[in-house]
Amino acid sequence: MIPFPIIDAHSHLWLRQEAEVDGKKIRTLANGISEFIGELRQMLPPFITNGQNTAEILLSNMDYAQVSAAVITQEYIDGMQNDYLSYVQQKYPDRFLCCGLIDARHSGYYRHAGKLIEQGFRAIKIPAQRLIMATKRIWLTTNEMMQVFELMEKNNVILSIDLADGTEQIAEMQEIIAEFPALKIAIGHFGMVTRKNWQEQIKLARNENVMIESGGITCLFNDEFYPFPSAVKAIREAAELVGINKLMRGSDYPRTIVAITYRMSYDFIVKSPLLTAEEKYLFLGVNAEKFYGFNNLTELPYIKNMSE
């Protein structure tokens, strides 16, 4: 039994991928494969033959890996999953916090954000890196976007956001944080840690209500592979910049489990000597528990593998 709660602050669910990004198609095929922006990608493990990345499959992985709860975020490459995630949130309220998704690539999303809040979503996702397109750019500080952030702040709805590499959207984020200081913000992908100037995204967490989550960190360090020593060093560096209490662990499930198991997406941190027991306790669960307001966390037993 792990002596503290494990929470996944960045994971994904979908019934079917059917999307378009910058004019390019993404769609589910078979055996875990998707057509992805002009090429084939192993989007899911091959044993998920029907392409349905369901809550029940993730829960099975969570139970096995002793992960008490997960934040389900969204991305334009997976298509809009609001209806399914609303169902998941109602069915498994103690295991999941699901983010609604607005399509900020087209005007009229303020009204949609209001409907998602009325529907009961306690967080809204903006994949901001996808707003820098080949033919146009949607600025995060446009009037409609700022109205959305005002609405979210007023209703205590969390902003989950992934940013473009480096400093591309830092100035916009600084303006948003200054304008809406009570808006709770979770910045994903650990600031795109393997890209130049990633530390500037981390430094945004020096603001009171801004957190950083590490969804996708094992993908970003995939060339190094398990046990990802450089990823742990990056977590150590980020902790020195903003404090370990501002950092949360995320898996970017299911994309990561094509290469590694779900348990491997966090146990490289458990086993690392570079972080103290207290730092692991905060990073792996407690920070996310407080930030997202999880209650009634499930305690899960360790089940011995047949190979042990």
Side-chain angles (χ1 to χ4, degrees):
M1 181 70 187
I2 296 173
F4 50 80
I6 303 287
I7 292 175
D8 186 345
H10 185 125
S11 52
H12 298 270
L13 297 174
W14 61 77
L15 289 181
R16 180 175 178 82
Q17 282 186 315
E18 199 73 48
E20 183 175 306
V21 172
D22 218 359
K24 298 176 181 177
K25 302 287 186 181
I26 300 100
R27 63 188 181 97
T28 294
L29 299 177
N31 301 331
I33 298 170
S34 288
E35 178 187 351
F36 182 78
I37 309 179
E39 61 182 353
L40 298 182
R41 288 288 187 93
Q42 193 70 47
M43 192 69 64
L44 296 169
F47 53 77
I48 303 180
T49 57
N50 64 2
Q52 292 190 348
N53 171 35
T54 65
E56 287 72 25
I57 295 175
L58 175 52
L59 278 171
S60 180
N61 276 281
M62 290 167 63
D63 289 351
Y64 167 76
Q66 298 173 274
V67 174
S68 296
V71 177
I72 308 301
T73 184
Q74 294 200 58
E75 232 275 28
Y76 294 145
I77 65 172
D78 301 327
M80 306 286 276
Q81 304 295 327
N82 291 321
D83 290 344
Y84 179 55
L85 293 189
S86 178
Y87 163 79
V88 168
Q89 184 70 82
Q90 293 176 51
K91 187 173 183 180
Y92 305 107
D94 293 334
R95 302 301 300 277
F96 295 124
L97 185 149
C98 297
C99 299
L101 179 65
I102 57 173
D103 194 345
R105 297 169 298 179
H106 309 284
S107 62
Y109 53 84
Y110 171 78
R111 181 176 297 179
H112 188 204
K115 289 181 179 179
L116 291 175
I117 293 170
E118 290 176 2
Q119 198 173 344
F121 282 101
R122 294 187 288 128
I124 288 177
K125 176 63 180 282
I126 297 178
Q129 78 278 31
R130 305 292 181 191
L131 302 182
I132 302 174
M133 295 168 276
T135 57
K136 65 176 180 177
R137 175 172 181 163
I138 307 297
W139 296 87
L140 295 173
T141 51
T142 61
N143 289 338
E144 187 170 14
M145 194 76 80
M146 296 297 268
Q147 289 173 349
V148 169
F149 298 142
E150 181 180 19
L151 180 68
M152 292 173 66
E153 184 186 50
K154 179 180 178 182
N155 288 277
N156 195 31
V157 172
I158 297 168
L159 171 62
S160 172
I161 190 165
D162 301 332
L163 300 177
D165 293 357
T167 61
E168 185 71 30
Q169 294 171 311
I170 292 291
E172 294 161 76
M173 287 303 299
Q174 289 172 334
E175 184 175 339
I176 292 162
I177 293 165
E179 185 72 19
F180 308 107
L183 176 64
K184 296 175 71 175
I185 301 172
I187 296 172
H189 296 159
F190 217 68
M192 295 302 294
V193 59
T194 54
R195 310 295 195 260
K196 184 179 178 181
N197 295 323
W198 66 274
Q199 296 92 340
E200 298 308 307
Q201 293 192 32
I202 304 299
K203 290 176 185 177
L204 291 171
R206 290 174 175 172
N207 295 280
E208 182 179 1
N209 286 309
V210 180
M211 300 285 284
I212 305 294
E213 46 93 338
S214 70
I217 197 169
T218 60
C219 291
L220 291 165
F221 286 100
N222 183 66
D223 289 346
E224 182 179 86
F225 205 65
Y226 187 88
F228 308 106
S230 295
V232 182
K233 290 177 183 177
I235 294 167
R236 172 83 274 149
E237 182 177 352
E240 291 169 0
L241 287 172
V242 299
I244 194 68
N245 62 310
K246 303 293 286 185
L247 309 177
M248 305 180 292
R249 169 260 170 179
S251 71
D252 211 4
Y253 172 100
R255 302 181 231 285
T256 47
I257 65 164
V258 173
I260 60 175
T261 68
Y262 190 57
R263 181 181 290 275
M264 289 167 70
S265 72
Y266 75 80
D267 75 355
F268 73 95
I269 296 165
V270 173
K271 295 172 181 175
S272 174
L274 296 182
L275 298 171
T276 68
E278 175 68 14
E279 288 171 330
K280 294 171 185 178
Y281 169 77
L282 294 171
F283 179 73
L284 290 172
V286 171
N287 292 340
E289 180 182 9
K290 293 178 180 178
F291 182 75
Y292 289 104
F294 282 108
N295 295 306
N296 305 314
L297 287 177
T298 302
E299 291 188 10
L300 298 157
Y302 179 75
I303 298 175
K304 195 173 182 179
N305 286 333
M306 192 65 187
S307 59
E308 291 181 79

